[in-house]
């Protein structure tokens, strides 16, 4: 009875809509007023101590192991938990989990490879053909498909730099290379990409040779901290600072400043919490080891301390929510293939990850921000108004 009392207290206040809860003893209850569209099924009891110690880790593992089943939308359920003022999701243990993390070059390489070197074939199953694994940019709202939105995001980033043909660009954390190679082919820039992922490195290297871009493009399998004293006219970095760790954020922005030529321009795009930095225990253990989402104030502090100036900031929260919803839809269309290749536990884990992130963006728990930075007086080599960013 103690367990039931705890669960009832936890779940009855956690959602702004009615839910059905079916317990391990075969009995069910409805919490909230109205007809529920979502059912939580507990196939086993989850120890109270595990939940109170860290709800995200305990419940995430329980879902992976089928101790919990969800009938209905996982995203809606998690979004509801974020929306409810009394939800267990708003506890400090869930929102402010701060693991002891190492971000040495050796550990950073292991962390990056544990996520990105799952295999290019896995990511091809549910990303768009550009293999872009970051927030898309939906210029026409519901009309754009994911591939167009990803291409538009890349061009939106490059347009913000106001690039001049023949100048140089460094892409820190270049992914599978679409941004850097677009910059070379369509904007006439000489580009360098840096990644710690062997899978990404091999694919980008192949693209460079297949498209005969050796004279204008290179990719390095290297830690961005080891690039020496070379400088570039422009720097881009998309979805990168989330990997460097709280203790290395200052050094990350200092390195951006170091690698940028005088009066150079950088566009840094990454997930940011407007409410302050945080990590999530379940994501840290199973998805992004070493991950840390910086707070907005935290990033601005490090940017200013590095000697860079902020020229523009743009929030793209709704764009990332939609991107994740499309990814998860693509993922579930390939669910049987993924499950056969990677196993049921892995498949449930990734589905939970994609839907939980979509819910987190939907609720405003996290945001994604593009920081346009200059080394020198803000806007010195940029047009007077923001119209140029939109091709006007």
């Amino acid at each position: 009875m103690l367990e039931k009392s705890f669960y009832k207290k936890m779940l009855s206040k956690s959602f702004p809509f009615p839910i059905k809860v079916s317990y391990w003893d075969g009995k069910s209850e409805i919490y909230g007023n109205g007809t529920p569209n979502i059912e939580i099924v507990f196939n086993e009891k989850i120890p109270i101590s595990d939940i109170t110690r860290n709800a995200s880790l305990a419940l995430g593992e329980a879902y992976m192991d089928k101790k919990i089943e969800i009938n209905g939308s996982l995203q809606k359920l998690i979004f509801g938990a974020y929306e409810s003022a009394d939800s267990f999701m708003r506890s400090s243990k869930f929102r402010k989990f701060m693991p002891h993390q190492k971000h040495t070059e050796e550990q950073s390489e292991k962390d990056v490879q544990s996520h990105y070197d799952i295999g290019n074939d896995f990511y091809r199953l549910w990303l768009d053909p550009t293999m872009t694994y970051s927030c898309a940019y939906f210029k026409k709202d519901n009309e754009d498909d994911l591939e167009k939105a990803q291409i538009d995001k890349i061009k939106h980033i490059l347009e913000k730099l106001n690039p001049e043909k023949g100048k140089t660009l460094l892409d820190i954390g270049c992914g599978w290379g679409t941004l850097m190679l677009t910059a070379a082919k369509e904007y006439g820039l000489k580009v360098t990409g840096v990644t710690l992922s062997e899978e990404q490195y091999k694919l980008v290297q192949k693209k460079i040779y297949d498209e005969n871009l050796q004279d204008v493009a290179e990719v390095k399998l290297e830690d961005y901290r080891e690039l020496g004293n070379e400088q570039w006219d422009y720097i881009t970095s998309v979805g990168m600072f989330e990997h460097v760790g709280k203790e290395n954020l200052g050094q990350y922005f200092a390195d951006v400043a170091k690698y940028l030529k005088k009066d150079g321009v950088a566009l840094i795009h990454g997930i940011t919490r407007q409410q302050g930095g945080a990590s999530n225990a379940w994501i840290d253990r199973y998805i992004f080891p070493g991950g840390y989402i910086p707070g907005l104030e935290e990033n601005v502090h490090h940017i200013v301390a590095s000697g860079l100036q902020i020229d523009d900031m743009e929030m793209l929260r709704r764009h990332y929510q939609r991107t994740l919803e499309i990814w998860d839809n693509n993922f579930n269309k390939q669910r049987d293939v993924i499950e056969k290749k990677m196993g049921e536990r892995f498949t449930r884990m990734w589905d939970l990850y994609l839907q939980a992130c979509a819910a987190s963006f939907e609720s405003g728990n996290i945001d994604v921000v593009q920081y346009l930075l200059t080394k020198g007086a803000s806007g010195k080599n940029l047009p007077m108004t923001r119209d140029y960013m939109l091709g006007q």
Side-chain angles (χ1 to χ4, degrees):
M1 290 300 294
L2 178 62
E3 288 91 350
K4 278 282 193 74
S5 175
F6 169 82
Y7 275 77
K8 181 174 181 177
K9 183 178 179 181
M10 176 179 71
L11 295 169
S12 62
K13 297 180 179 181
S14 285
F15 305 98
F17 44 74
I19 60 165
K20 180 180 179 181
V21 179
S22 295
Y23 289 104
W24 50 86
D25 59 5
K27 296 180 180 179
S28 299
E29 293 191 38
I30 293 176
Y31 302 125
N33 299 319
T35 302
N37 293 318
I38 299 176
E39 179 186 16
I40 303 173
V41 180
F42 287 94
N43 294 319
E44 296 182 27
K45 287 186 287 189
I46 315 302
I48 294 173
S49 59
D50 290 353
I51 297 174
T52 55
R53 186 179 305 116
N54 199 292
S56 70
L57 184 60
L59 298 176
E61 289 179 336
Y63 182 80
M64 290 164 59
D65 295 330
K66 300 182 75 171
K67 296 176 182 178
I68 297 176
E69 297 282 4
I70 307 298
N71 296 322
S73 170
L74 258 173
Q75 179 180 336
K76 182 180 177 182
L77 182 72
I78 297 170
F79 169 74
Y82 278 121
E83 288 290 284
S84 177
D86 296 323
S87 169
F88 65 92
M89 294 281 275
R90 291 189 174 274
S91 72
S92 61
K93 284 185 172 64
F94 184 87
R95 295 166 66 89
K96 292 290 184 180
F97 170 75
M98 294 297 295
H100 177 70
Q101 297 173 331
K102 295 180 181 179
H103 286 94
T104 62
E105 291 179 20
E106 181 182 5
Q107 187 61 49
S108 293
E109 182 177 5
K110 289 180 180 177
D111 290 345
V112 167
Q113 291 179 358
S114 74
H115 186 85
Y116 293 100
D117 287 353
I118 295 171
N120 291 341
D121 289 344
F122 167 68
Y123 287 103
R124 281 195 187 96
L125 289 171
W126 52 275
L127 294 179
D128 72 287
T130 71
M131 290 286 282
T132 303
Y133 185 32
S134 57
C135 171
Y137 182 63
F138 295 88
K139 293 175 70 172
K140 292 187 177 179
D141 204 8
N142 288 319
E143 296 179 30
D144 293 344
D145 65 21
L146 182 59
E147 182 177 7
K148 182 180 185 304
Q150 291 290 14
I151 292 170
D152 285 343
K153 185 273 298 295
I154 288 165
K155 291 183 177 180
H156 189 51
I157 287 172
L158 294 170
E159 291 290 343
K160 284 186 175 185
L161 299 173
N162 196 36
E164 294 181 32
K165 187 176 180 180
K167 289 195 171 184
T168 58
L169 178 142
L170 169 66
D171 190 18
I172 300 175
C174 65
W176 286 278
T178 303
L179 187 153
M180 59 176 282
L181 298 182
T182 299
K185 291 185 291 185
E186 298 188 27
Y187 292 83
L189 299 179
K190 296 180 179 178
V191 301
T192 301
V194 182
T195 180
L196 286 174
S197 164
E198 292 186 6
E199 291 280 319
Q200 291 178 343
Y201 171 78
K202 290 174 183 176
L203 184 59
V204 178
Q205 190 79 282
K206 184 177 186 301
K207 287 180 179 180
I208 290 172
Y209 280 92
D210 287 349
E211 299 181 40
N212 294 314
L213 296 171
Q214 297 94 320
D215 292 340
V216 293
E218 65 172 341
V219 61
K220 297 183 177 183
L221 184 63
E222 193 170 350
D223 193 291
Y224 73 95
R225 291 169 283 192
E226 296 299 321
L227 292 175
N229 296 315
E230 188 174 354
Q231 291 186 314
W232 288 262
D233 298 294
Y234 311 106
I235 292 177
T236 53
S237 188
V238 179
M240 173 65 191
F241 63 59
E242 302 94 311
H243 293 290
V244 305
K246 181 178 177 65
E247 73 279 13
N248 286 335
L249 275 170
Q251 187 61 52
Y252 168 81
F253 284 107
D255 282 338
V256 171
K258 172 186 172 183
Y259 298 137
L260 203 57
K261 291 181 181 179
K262 187 177 185 300
D263 298 323
V265 184
L267 191 287
I268 310 299
H269 167 125
I271 301 172
T272 307
R273 289 191 78 245
Q274 295 204 30
Q275 308 91 326
S279 294
N280 177 281
W282 182 77
I283 289 177
D284 181 75
R285 178 171 295 183
Y286 290 102
I287 305 294
F288 280 111
Y292 171 75
I293 305 300
L296 180 61
E297 184 177 7
E298 191 176 10
N299 273 348
V300 170
H301 167 77
H302 290 306
I303 289 167
V304 173
S306 73
L308 296 167
Q309 293 200 7
I310 299 173
D311 196 79
D312 187 81
M313 291 170 58
E314 182 177 11
M315 280 61 176
L316 298 175
R317 178 187 63 81
R318 293 169 63 198
H319 294 265
Y320 217 156
Q321 177 192 339
R322 179 163 300 160
T323 302
L324 281 152
E325 289 168 351
I326 295 172
W327 282 345
D328 190 65
N329 184 55
N330 292 346
F331 183 92
N332 278 289
K333 286 180 180 177
Q334 299 289 339
R335 193 178 185 103
D336 290 345
V337 175
I338 295 170
E339 194 167 301
K340 185 176 181 180
K341 179 182 177 66
M342 310 297 288
E344 184 179 19
R345 191 172 192 261
F346 175 94
T347 305
R348 289 172 68 88
M349 176 181 77
W350 267 83
D351 186 29
L352 174 60
Y353 161 64
L354 293 171
Q355 292 199 56
C357 287
S360 201
F361 279 109
E362 184 179 6
S363 69
N365 180 52
I366 52 177
D367 207 330
V368 62
V369 182
Q370 289 188 348
Y371 304 84
L372 184 65
L373 311 176
T374 54
K375 187 174 180 179
S378 66
K380 182 175 180 180
N381 292 324
L382 297 172
M384 288 287 283
T385 73
R386 301 175 82 251
D387 291 348
Y388 80 96
M389 298 180 186
L390 305 175
Q392 299 176 11

